[in-house]
Amino acid sequence: MYAVELLFNKEFDEYVRKAWMHFDKEGISHFMNRFENLSPHITLAVYTDISDLEGFKEQLKIYFDNVSPLRLRFDIVATFPTSGTIFLAPTMTDQLQRVHKDYYKKLDKYNNQASIYYSPDQWNPHCTLGTQLSREAIAKGIHDVVKEFEPMDGIIERMSLVKIELSEEGNRNITIFEQSFES
């Protein structure tokens, strides 16, 4: 499985990692904190497979050459209860919506391999704090996050194409391609 992830500035990255460590320490969820080579992110797209990886990377570079950093306001703490996920969600901006829709237009030849949950009509941009949680852990996690929550800006500064490996021994991201955005 592959994912295209939008990655944050140092301050927001550290803010999310602090939540991951708290969830791990408190026994709420260790999933995010122990996922090897994982960075806080918003997932733009997920692919079951990419048949032409070199061509795909070339198209990513061309597309993201024209993307500028995006400033997002994170003032929503929410959950996807069916997957046991707690996340921070940004206020949707025209710029974020345009980047997402244009991405799917420019890389449309790969859409048949993409997960529908990230398609333009289904996408809920979010930054995961914990996942695979029981209902009780969701309640505790939300309580802990909200207790000290302050709305915060995050700046998307770069993108990464990662290969995701899930296994009994541990989960990891393998970076295939990464590109910073130009101001």
Side-chain angles (χ1 to χ4, degrees), residues 2-183:
Y2 296 87
V4 175
E5 299 174 345
L6 302 175
L7 305 173
F8 298 104
N9 61 310
K10 182 181 177 192
E11 294 78 14
F12 193 78
D13 182 279
E14 289 173 352
Y15 178 79
V16 173
R17 287 180 192 276
K18 184 177 170 186
W20 289 355
M21 287 185 281
H22 173 81
F23 277 24
D24 194 355
K25 181 180 158 208
E26 294 298 316
I28 297 167
S29 172
H30 66 270
F31 189 86
M32 302 303 283
N33 197 45
R34 299 185 193 176
F35 203 113
E36 186 182 330
N37 197 35
L38 184 66
S39 295
H41 62 276
I42 290 177
T43 302
L44 196 63
V46 171
Y47 299 90
T48 51
D49 193 21
I50 299 174
S51 54
D52 173 20
L53 194 55
E54 289 308 310
F56 185 76
K57 288 184 339 190
E58 188 176 311
Q59 291 301 307
L60 282 177
K61 178 167 180 13
I62 291 168
Y63 177 71
F64 284 106
D65 273 347
N66 298 311
V67 174
S68 298
L70 292 94
R71 178 176 293 276
L72 300 174
R73 183 73 171 167
F74 286 83
D75 55 2
I76 301 166
V77 178
T79 183
F80 296 131
T82 56
S83 64
T85 301
I86 297 172
F87 58 89
L88 299 175
T91 300
M92 181 58 82
T93 64
D94 289 342
Q95 185 182 19
L96 179 60
Q97 195 167 40
R98 187 172 50 253
V99 164
H100 186 254
K101 284 187 178 189
D102 289 351
Y103 171 87
Y104 274 88
K105 284 179 190 169
K106 299 289 185 195
L107 284 96
D108 66 335
K109 80 182 217 178
Y110 302 97
N111 288 352
N112 65 332
Q113 298 166 10
S115 168
I116 61 166
Y117 296 112
Y118 297 89
S119 66
D121 293 333
Q122 304 239 354
W123 188 52
N124 289 296
H126 64 280
C127 181
T128 301
L129 299 179
T131 191
Q132 299 180 353
L133 304 169
S134 67
R135 301 250 173 187
E136 295 77 22
I138 289 173
K140 174 149 178 44
I142 291 281
H143 174 268
D144 288 6
V145 171
V146 170
K147 183 170 60 176
E148 298 193 22
F149 181 74
E150 293 287 332
M152 183 173 195
D153 287 351
I155 301 170
I156 303 231
E157 296 183 333
R158 62 195 195 286
M159 64 71 59
S160 183
L161 169 64
V162 296
K163 182 175 183 181
I164 301 168
E165 293 184 348
L166 306 172
S167 73
E168 294 290 324
E169 295 80 45
N171 303 320
R172 68 183 182 146
N173 271 3
I174 300 167
T175 302
I176 307 292
F177 175 76
E178 190 167 296
Q179 182 171 338
S180 294
F181 300 160
E182 301 296 322
S183 297

